[in-house]
Amino acid sequence: MSRRWSIAGQLFALQVLVVTLLVVAGMVGAVLLARTDVRTAARERVLAVAEAVAHSPDVATALRSASPASRLQPYAEATRQATGTDFVVVMAPDRTRYSHPNPDRIGQPFVGEIGPALAGRAFTTVNVGTLGESVRAVAPVRDADGEVVGLVSVGITTEAINRKLLAQAPALLAATAAALALAAAGSWLLSRRLRRQTHGLGPAQITRMYEYYDAVLHSVREGLVVLTPDRRVALVNDEARRLLGLAGTSLAQDRRVTELGLPPAVTELIVSGRPAHDEPVIAGDRMLVANQRETTFHGRAAGTVLTLRDHTELRTLASELDSVRGLTEALQAQAHESANRLHTVLTMVELGRTEEAVRLATAELSLAQQLTDRVVGAVTEPALAALLLGKSARAGERGVDLTVDPGSRLDGHPLPIGDLLTVVGNLVDNALEAVAGTTPPRRVRVHLGATEAEVTVQVTDNGPGLDPSQVTEAFRRGWSTKSPGRGLGLALVGQVVARYGGTVEVTRPAEGGTLFSVRLPIPGRSTVPGQPADQGRAADQGQAADQGQAAEPGDPTGPEQAAAAPEVGR
């Protein structure tokens, strides 16, 4: 199979061919121009010599003498040698020569045109005479009365002109060779640079590569952002535009990252240029997993490649799975504990201590039934009620007292259950993490409320509290108090709040800890001041205050406020 030429090789060959043709054409043009210039110079020269001889008084006097040839031949030869011409012929009007470089031609008729000179006008022409083809001039010789008494013809042979032209050939050829060499060197340098830029690929290979890469970039379900070393966007595929909210194909190309209005977490990651491996970032209401690394080519930095995967649904499902797993583990623990208690009751019955066995069994059943009745009575949604029961069991295992506010009420399906599970589950998990490791008593309180316009979720803990400077970061980056970058619970809560256009408020109760208040508007309904929504909010605040929870910011009767998070999604 024959080796295919690269683009650089084809360009070099084409340039060499074009340059060679141009140089050859230029050389031919230069030769023709030089030939014309030499002929023009010869015409002017012979005409000047002919007119000078014709106007010489000695020539007119010699033409009237008895022996013109004897007087004119020496004069003509001296003039010919002095002017460097090939012949100076003085003749009578009837063409009889009185002088000639070849003395044998004297007395013979002149060969060539003389008509204009006989009419009294000097002229130049190219004729073939006894010395061959020549450029000649013929001028009239006049007497004192102005009558033409003779003619003077001065000429330079074409052979002499060609010899003079050939004398210039070496310089012309040297200039041509230099121009050709310079053009070839420039073409080679240009082709070498192009070869480096195209990596020696041919047109067919580049076309095929472009078609394949374009198809892949438009079809891959992973966001791809390619950046130049100076942090300008070189390429953004369709999925990256969708994930980052970049509308328009040409809006992002060749612009700095800071000018695109990307989500803060994405902008910070790109600007930092640090390597990232499966790093979670928040982009609007999406949870993305980012991978970033610098690319090099032949040891030279070629830019940065950022890939993005949408893990929003996966994170939501994982959160729900964690809730279900927690409930399962809690049920297993309760089953194990119930088996132990049942064995204890049976043993006490066998020992004849029936009354004590009944009291023990009824007391345990009463506590469990009281918790179940409170949760089920307040929350009619089975999945949410099961979540709270599971969280209560897990809290009990950790030594945490998790209670549901008796004033809580959530009937029906005001919002999709998946979003409610995400908000309640992650807020409770966050509260359990906050009180973990603290000295007893450890308490977590949950309040759920709903009006015709919105759903309210409040979770209070008596942990060390959230630093005001950490509130915004906690919701933006999935930050955790245990270790940065570990938790994603609050980030998921922030996504749900942003999706519904709700609010999140973080306050610090007087006795310490943190109160998270989340309000989610019900789609298609609005909150009008003075309507039940406001009344429900006041009731929620009152119930929170009765149980030691902090009222929301702005309540003059509430405890001291430590920090208030900005509205998420607004």
Side-chain angles (χ1 to χ4, degrees):
M1 181 178 179
S2 61
R3 182 178 179 273
R4 296 181 178 179
W5 282 33
S6 65
I7 289 182
Q10 295 183 27
L11 179 62
F12 176 70
L14 179 61
Q15 285 180 324
V16 169
L17 177 61
V18 171
V19 168
T20 302
L21 292 177
L22 289 176
V23 170
V24 170
M27 183 181 67
V28 172
V31 170
L32 294 176
L33 182 61
R35 181 172 178 269
T36 301
D37 291 342
V38 171
R39 284 180 175 269
T40 300
R43 285 177 180 271
E44 294 175 352
R45 182 179 176 187
V46 296
L47 181 60
V49 174
E51 289 181 338
V53 173
H55 286 84
S56 174
D58 293 339
V59 174
T61 301
L63 286 173
R64 291 192 180 92
S65 66
S67 179
S70 61
R71 298 180 60 180
L72 292 174
Q73 174 67 6
Y75 175 77
E77 284 301 299
T79 303
R80 179 182 68 81
Q81 293 175 1
T83 58
T85 55
D86 290 323
F87 63 87
V88 176
V89 176
V90 181
M91 71 192 83
D94 61 357
R95 293 179 177 269
T96 300
R97 297 190 185 100
Y98 296 131
S99 66
H100 195 277
N102 185 0
D104 295 337
R105 301 290 183 178
I106 296 175
Q108 295 181 6
F110 176 79
V111 178
E113 184 181 0
I114 60 173
L118 290 175
R121 179 173 60 85
F123 70 97
T124 61
T125 184
V126 177
N127 283 122
V128 178
T130 57
L131 297 180
E133 186 181 66
S134 62
V135 175
R136 61 183 64 180
V138 182
V141 180
R142 301 175 184 272
D143 59 9
D145 297 331
E147 182 182 353
V148 176
V149 295
L151 302 175
V152 177
S153 177
V154 180
I156 299 176
T157 61
T158 303
E159 183 180 355
I161 295 175
N162 292 337
R163 283 197 304 268
K164 186 175 181 180
L165 186 60
L166 289 175
Q168 301 177 0
L172 184 60
L173 290 176
T176 301
L180 185 60
L182 183 61
S187 299
W188 180 77
L189 291 175
L190 180 61
S191 65
R192 183 181 179 185
R193 176 179 176 83
L194 184 61
R195 184 180 293 108
R196 287 200 306 267
Q197 293 178 337
T198 60
H199 307 304
L201 298 177
Q205 294 171 304
I206 291 180
T207 300
R208 184 167 60 252
M209 183 182 299
Y210 172 79
E211 292 173 349
Y212 290 165
Y213 285 2
D214 187 69
V216 170
L217 290 175
H218 285 290
S219 60
V220 70
R221 297 302 298 167
E222 187 171 82
L224 177 64
V225 181
V226 179
L227 303 122
T228 61
D230 61 348
R231 295 293 180 268
R232 290 185 179 272
V233 178
L235 183 146
V236 183
N237 72 341
D238 296 343
E239 182 66 6
R241 289 192 183 92
R242 184 183 71 85
L243 295 177
L244 299 177
L246 297 176
T249 303
S250 61
L251 294 180
Q253 301 300 118
D254 198 31
R255 295 181 60 186
R256 293 191 178 276
V257 174
T258 54
E259 300 174 355
L260 298 179
L262 298 177
V266 178
T267 301
E268 185 275 331
L269 175 61
I270 295 176
V271 172
S272 69
R274 69 176 187 277
H277 179 70
D278 289 341
E279 180 176 325
V281 294
I282 305 299
D285 61 348
R286 301 181 188 277
M287 172 63 67
L288 306 180
V289 173
N291 287 274
Q292 179 173 269
R293 72 181 185 91
E294 184 181 27
T295 60
T296 59
F297 184 79
H298 293 317
R300 177 177 55 86
T304 305
V305 176
L306 172 68
T307 59
L308 301 167
R309 297 193 305 274
D310 191 354
H311 274 213
T312 304
E313 296 182 0
L314 181 60
R315 293 290 184 181
T316 303
L317 292 176
S319 176
E320 295 178 4
L321 179 60
D322 288 341
S323 299
V324 173
R325 184 183 293 111
L327 177 59
T328 302
E329 293 174 354
L331 292 176
Q332 291 175 347
Q334 287 185 353
H336 182 72
E337 187 68 18
S338 298
N340 291 335
R341 291 170 181 170
L342 180 60
H343 290 158
T344 302
V345 170
L346 290 176
T347 302
M348 294 178 68
V349 171
E350 291 176 356
L351 295 175
R353 307 182 71 169
T354 308
E355 294 181 0
E356 296 178 3
V358 171
R359 284 197 301 271
L360 176 61
T362 55
E364 296 295 336
L365 289 176
S366 177
L367 291 175
Q369 189 63 41
Q370 182 181 2
L371 176 62
T372 302
D373 291 344
R374 178 179 298 179
V375 173
V376 174
V379 181
T380 59
E381 169 55 49
L384 189 56
L387 174 67
L388 291 173
L389 289 174
K391 297 297 183 183
S392 298
R394 177 179 293 184
E397 294 177 359
R398 297 182 178 183
V400 179
D401 178 20
L402 189 152
T403 60
V404 178
D405 184 2
S408 297
R409 189 70 187 175
L410 189 62
D411 296 324
H413 303 275
L415 293 175
I417 186 58
D419 293 336
L420 288 177
L421 291 176
T422 297
V423 173
V424 175
N426 283 293
L427 287 180
V428 171
D429 286 340
N430 184 72
L432 294 177
E433 288 288 338
V435 300
T438 60
T439 57
R442 306 183 186 96
R443 293 189 299 272
V444 175
R445 300 289 183 268
V446 180
H447 172 78
L448 302 176
T451 65
E452 293 184 359
E454 65 180 10
V455 173
T456 302
V457 178
Q458 292 180 331
V459 177
T460 308
D461 65 75
N462 65 340
L466 185 63
D467 191 282
S469 62
Q470 299 173 339
V471 172
T472 302
E473 186 69 12
F475 283 96
R476 284 183 178 175
R477 298 286 310 276
W479 180 85
S480 171
T481 57
K482 300 301 180 184
S483 60
R486 172 189 171 192
L488 292 173
L490 292 181
L492 295 174
V493 172
Q495 288 181 353
V496 175
V497 172
R499 192 180 306 126
Y500 287 94
T503 60
V504 177
E505 294 177 353
V506 182
T507 56
R508 184 189 297 271
E511 65 274 16
T514 307
L515 167 62
F516 285 85
S517 298
V518 176
R519 298 189 180 278
L520 301 176
I522 300 176
R525 305 180 188 178
S526 61
T527 303
V528 180
Q531 296 301 316
D534 294 328
Q535 299 172 6
R537 179 172 180 173
D540 293 342
Q541 293 175 347
Q543 293 163 356
D546 292 340
Q547 298 188 29
Q549 301 183 48
E552 297 182 21
D555 185 356
T557 62
E560 177 186 359
Q561 175 185 333
E567 294 185 358
V568 177
R570 291 191 177 183

